[in-house]
Structures are given as C-alpha cells and as structure tokens.
Amino acid sequence: MTNSPVHVIGGGLAGSEAAWQIAEAGVSVVLHEMRPVRGTEAHQSDRLAELVCSNSFRADDWAGNAVGLLHAEMRRLGSLILACGDACQVPAGGALAVDREGFAQAVTDRLSAHPRVQVVREEVAGLPPSEWDSVVVATGPLTSPALAQAVLGLTGEDQLAFFDAIAPIVHFESIDMDIAWRQSRYDKEGPGGEAAAYINCPMDKAQYDAFVDALLAGPKTEFKEWENVPYFDGCLPIEVMAERGRETLRHGPMKPVGLTNAHRPQEKAHAVVQLRQDNALGTLWNMVGFQTKLKHGAQTEVFRTIPGLEKAVFARLGGLHRNTFLNSPRLLDRQLRLKAMPRLRFAGQVTGVEGYVESAAVGLLAGRFAAAERLGRPLDPPPPTTALGALIGHITGGHLDGGKGSFQPMNINYGLLPPLEPPKHGADGRRIGAKERGRAKKRLMGERALADLDAWSAVRTPEPAE
Ligand SMILES: Cc1cc2nc3c(=O)[nH]c(=O)nc-3n(C[C@H](O)[C@H](O)[C@H](O)COP(=O)(O)OP(=O)(O)OC[C@H]3O[C@@H](n4cnc5c(N)ncnc54)[C@H](O)[C@@H]3O)c2cc1C
C-alpha cells in the first residue's frame, strides 16, 4: 500500500463520480480535467460533469425500469452524481431531470471542497507518467486525440473505435418463434459446434418491397457537422444500402440463401432478417447488419413490420455516432484494468456503456476498485443480478464476441440481468395476465437486485496485516 494519490483523467460524469468514491473511501485523488484549457466539440463550460445534451437521467422507478434500478443502487452506494441530481431536480414526470447548470455547479463545488480531492485543469496528452501507479481514464466519447492515440498504441488499431455503428437489439422473449426459426446459414457449425446459432425472420416479396419503401421514406437523424462520421463499406446503414438499389439488401444482410423455413419448409423466403445472440444469457439478440440512422420512432415502426418481430421489445435501437470506446470484453479485466497495463483503469462511456447514468455507474465502480486496491482490500464486482453487476458483466465478459466491431455501446436494460420467472397465479389463485406478469417480473428483479447489492456492500474485507 502506498500513500500516493490515485489519478483520475477526465472530470465528466464518470470521472467526477470515480474521484468522489475514491476520496470518500479515504484515499487522495488528483482529478485532471482539460477544460477550459482545451475544449471538446460538445462541452460548453468549464464545469465538471457537464451534461452535453439532454438534461434527463431518464426514468426514476426502481421497480419498473432498469435505469431507475441503477439510480437506486447508486444512491445506496453514496453516488455524488445521483445526490447532486436529486438536489437539482426539475419537474419531469416519472423521470429524474435536472437543472443543467445547477447540477454541474453542485458537482464542481462538492469535489472542489473535498479535502482529499485536488482538481487540476490540464490535458493529459499522452500515456500517464509511469510514476502514476493507479490511474482511472474517464475521458469519454470525445477523448482528446493525443490521449486516444496513446491508448491506441497500447491496444492496437482495431481495439479502440472512434465511431459506433449500432444495430438494434431485441429481447428474446418478444420474438415470435412461431414465425421465426433458429438455423445457421447452410447449417454451418460455429466454433462451439452450434449449427442453429441465428434466429431467422422470413419475408415474402410484398413484405420486402414495403420494408424497403419504409426504410427509404423514414425520417433519419442528421450528423452534427463536427462528427464527420465516415461510412465504412462493411457497416453501411441499412437505409444507405437500400438507396443503392432495391435488391441490395436482399444480396447483403437480408439474403435468403442457405436457410429453410422450419415452419413452412416448402416456402422459399424472398429475404431473411437474421438475429445473432448478443449476450451470454441468451436474453438479447442483435439484428445482423441493421445499423441505421433512422429516427428511433421510425425504427420501432419499420422493424415491427418484419414477420416475427411484430411485438419486438427493443433493448436498444440503432444509431451511428462519434464515440471513442474500447473493445472492453477483450481488453479489460473484471476490475476494469487494462490487461496490457494494469495501472490504467477505464471508466465511463469509453468502456462501451452508453448514457449519463451508465457512465457515472461505471465511474462509481472504477473509483471503488481503485480505492480498494490502494487500501489493500480487493473488492469483487457486484453480483450479476444487480444493475451495476450486469453493466460491468456486459462490458467485461457478458457480451458474446461476434467478430470485429460486434461490441457496441449499451444502455442498462433488463436483458443484461439473469431472467426471473414471476408467478403465473396470484395469492388468490387467479391467473395473472401477461402485462401484469411483466410488471411483476421487473419488480421482483428490482427487489432481488437491491437485496443482493446490500449483501455485497455489507461485505468488508479485513484490513491487511501490517
Ligand atoms: C454529443 C453527445 C450527446 C450526448 N447526449 C446524451 C444524452 O442526451 N443523454 C445521455 O444519457 N447520454 C448522452 N451522450 C452519451 C454520454 O452518456 C455522455 O457523453 C456522457 O457525458 C459520458 O460520460 P463520460 O464521463 O464517460 O464522458 P464525459 O462526460 O464526456 O467526460 C469526459 C471528460 O474528459 C475530459 N477529457 C477528455 N480528454 C481529456 C484528456 N486527455 N485530459 C483531460 N481531460 C480530458 C473532457 O473534457 C470531459 O470533461 C452524449 C454524447 C455525445 C458525444
């Protein structure tokens, strides 16, 4: 154990939370934030934890919403971001929305006033000096180019992305398997011997034509000028492929060859949409090749015209953004340390989570891990049944590697937690309807998460012997 401080690079949502957790654990911390010395394309001020776009932390209901559950867990662990969010609330129905400037000012004031926190306004423009033996890198989606290049040097070219190309992800239980079927193209076995790895949704010609028309007509989000997002031929948005010709999708991600409809073997599909398992639990499936810039409302509408997905519940919708993030499942250990250089720990959006709350949540864990390591009391990650444990599980192991570029940023959602079966009948013997069961399931998952989190946070590893 040493007395030297932990260094946190980046005073955004994740870095501010990490610094707070480290300081509250009794360890000194130096927080390096480059603003206002150097700005980003999105930040406007020199405040810590600035919200660059919406002022909402989304739904605040622990019993009915996964991000609400994450709020509840973070509050229990003394989150600075949640405490300042609660103190600066503005009316927003069931959501936790905040006064943007008041919130960032509150975070700045509380960190600046903490006796164990030193805030330094400077860019860390390369690998942190070797005498910084414990570092949390929380530099976000707009990490400064000099630091990004240095990280790239450690990870290799294809392990740090500068853009995301997100395909929608669907909850397995919402796919109609009376229409869809499982099969790999040409029944080809994968490395694990699985010959039915994909879920296939068939389309006839009329359905395909209507789908292409809807893609072309649907409203798209525009890139901001500074984003300068390039299109790579390997991951073009589907609507751009559709613009290149009516048949392009049928010869690309929607090709029907090598597949036989298990429900109607005589019928040859005109096109097939494939979904690939996205997480080890098998609860989430991504739509293969369906990265898109369609607006979210249009995505839901258009993708629900696909046979088998009429009632699809989306864990995540598609998008393309400027975003710096690591291939974390390959690069980071369960303590969020870079395997290639364990003195560097990563936190926030750069680890492949998406959103203010998720970024702060990973900052909270990185801060606790760094402090525990410094104090010589190693800390296990929270259990996978908690929202915090599910998030860290996803970025460090739960995601299935589907090849280059398959790991994409993710919001917290129930599909990342182990499923749980709610009772089919109430205490009075009455059969419970599907909607009510869905609500009961979320509440039970919330109760399980909070109980497991309390048990986890109550465990104290003994002080190391002197
Ligand atoms: C344009 C845009 C809009 C977004 N809108 C939303 C939204 O509406 N809702 C939502 O939930 N999420 C949104 N996100 C996604 C994401 O949740 C936020 O970007 C979030 O702020 C990420 O938290 P973070 O702590 O990882 O990064 P940030 O909050 O961006 O913090 C990173 C900090 O590191 C600093 N920094 C960078 N490089 C260095 C360096 N080399 N040395 C020192 N400091 C450095 C930056 O100045 C910044 O303060 C958006 C992202 C972008 C890019």
Side-chain angles (χ1 to χ4, degrees):
M1 188 170 41
T2 75
N3 290 326
S4 55
V6 175
H7 292 263
V8 176
I9 310 177
L13 275 299
S16 298
E17 185 66 61
W20 181 258
Q21 296 288 333
I22 294 165
E24 285 290 279
V27 175
S28 311
V29 53
V30 184
L31 176 58
H32 306 260
E33 168 52 54
M34 69 177 183
R35 291 174 291 121
V37 180
R38 186 189 170 107
T40 77
E41 296 87 344
H43 292 83
Q44 305 283 327
S45 79
D46 63 357
R47 294 189 186 94
L48 302 175
E50 180 181 328
L51 304 178
V52 286
C53 187
S54 140
N55 65 332
S56 174
F57 290 164
R58 319 200 312 273
D60 195 31
D61 169 17
W62 69 265
N65 190 287
V67 78
L69 178 60
L70 193 55
H71 292 172
E73 293 184 9
M74 292 170 73
R75 284 190 184 105
R76 285 181 186 217
L77 298 179
S79 159
L80 174 68
I81 294 301
L82 262 293
C84 294
D86 287 338
C88 299
Q89 263 191 66
V90 296
L96 172 59
V98 303
D99 173 297
R100 170 191 309 281
E101 290 185 5
F103 165 77
Q105 193 60 51
V107 174
T108 308
D109 291 346
R110 289 194 62 185
L111 280 167
S112 307
H114 199 294
R116 277 186 292 278
V117 179
Q118 185 193 353
V119 181
V120 178
R121 301 290 184 159
E122 66 177 10
E123 179 190 4
V124 177
L127 272 191
S130 54
E131 57 276 18
W132 298 6
D133 63 347
S134 176
V135 182
V136 177
V137 183
T139 44
L142 307 174
T143 296
S144 76
L147 182 57
Q149 280 309 318
V151 173
L152 203 68
L154 288 176
T155 61
E157 274 296 319
D158 54 356
Q159 303 296 314
L160 180 71
F162 292 98
F163 302 93
D164 53 35
I166 295 177
I169 290 188
V170 181
H171 287 272
F172 174 73
E173 60 190 10
S174 69
I175 303 172
D176 185 347
M177 294 304 287
D178 289 336
I179 296 176
W181 76 97
R182 286 174 93 135
Q183 184 187 9
S184 300
R185 216 179 280 286
Y186 300 111
D187 300 310
K188 207 170 153 197
E189 278 187 19
E194 172 65 277
Y198 289 79
I199 291 179
N200 302 283
C201 300
M203 274 186 182
D204 62 24
K205 182 165 182 337
Q207 287 164 333
Y208 175 78
D209 283 339
F211 178 75
V212 171
D213 289 340
L215 279 182
L216 295 175
K220 326 280 184 310
T221 46
E222 299 297 327
F223 290 123
K224 303 218 173 49
E225 206 179 305
W226 55 262
E227 284 188 293
N228 200 14
V229 175
Y231 287 150
F232 302 105
D233 253 3
C235 60
L236 285 178
I238 41 166
E239 61 278 7
V240 173
M241 275 189 263
E243 275 164 18
R244 292 188 172 180
R246 184 156 284 273
E247 294 294 291
T248 308
L249 283 171
R250 236 168 63 73
H251 294 285
M254 294 174 70
K255 60 177 175 282
V257 298
L259 296 165
T260 306
N261 187 331
H263 308 291
R264 299 167 180 225
Q266 294 81 354
E267 272 179 29
K268 185 80 201 128
H270 188 70
V272 171
V273 174
Q274 288 202 301
L275 294 100
R276 186 195 295 124
Q277 189 173 334
D278 198 78
N279 66 340
L281 292 171
T283 49
L284 298 176
W285 289 70
N286 68 64
M287 299 176 69
V288 180
F290 267 53
Q291 50 281 347
T292 176
K293 287 285 286 175
L294 274 183
K295 288 200 166 161
H296 280 182
Q299 287 187 40
T300 311
E301 202 173 301
V302 176
F303 298 153
R304 283 196 185 140
T305 66
I306 298 169
L309 300 187
E310 293 88 345
K311 295 193 174 147
V313 178
F314 294 94
R316 177 183 83 189
L317 287 159
L320 268 91
H321 310 98
R322 167 79 175 80
N323 193 3
T324 315
F325 67 99
L326 296 167
N327 185 2
S328 296
R330 193 165 287 182
L331 298 176
L332 302 185
D333 69 14
R334 300 260 296 146
Q335 294 272 319
L336 297 167
R337 287 174 302 214
L338 190 68
K339 290 176 195 163
M341 190 177 273
R343 74 184 171 98
L344 302 188
R345 204 173 236 109
F346 283 80
Q349 182 117 346
V350 77
T351 62
V353 293
E354 170 80 25
Y356 299 147
V357 184
E358 289 84 343
S359 297
V362 179
L364 183 152
L365 290 172
R368 287 193 164 222
F369 291 150
E373 189 177 74
R374 183 59 100 221
L375 294 167
R377 299 182 206 159
L379 179 70
D380 282 334
T385 46
T386 63
L388 282 161
L391 260 190
I392 199 167
H394 178 71
I395 55 182
T396 64
H399 171 81
L400 290 186
D401 191 356
K404 189 170 182 296
S406 78
F407 177 67
Q408 293 292 332
M410 180 72 107
N411 283 126
I412 185 67
N413 65 79
Y414 286 111
L416 296 180
L417 284 88
L420 193 153
E421 263 309 297
K424 291 197 171 67
H425 296 91
D428 54 359
R430 182 181 53 94
R431 197 174 165 77
I432 304 175
K435 242 191 181 150
E436 209 182 317
R437 282 191 85 212
R439 278 199 295 269
K441 181 174 171 177
K442 289 177 180 172
R443 171 171 282 277
L444 285 173
M445 287 172 94
E447 283 169 358
R448 177 181 68 178
L450 294 177
D452 288 357
L453 186 80
D454 287 347
W456 173 79
S457 61
V459 174
R460 294 269 172 276
T461 12
E463 302 246 6
E466 285 299 316

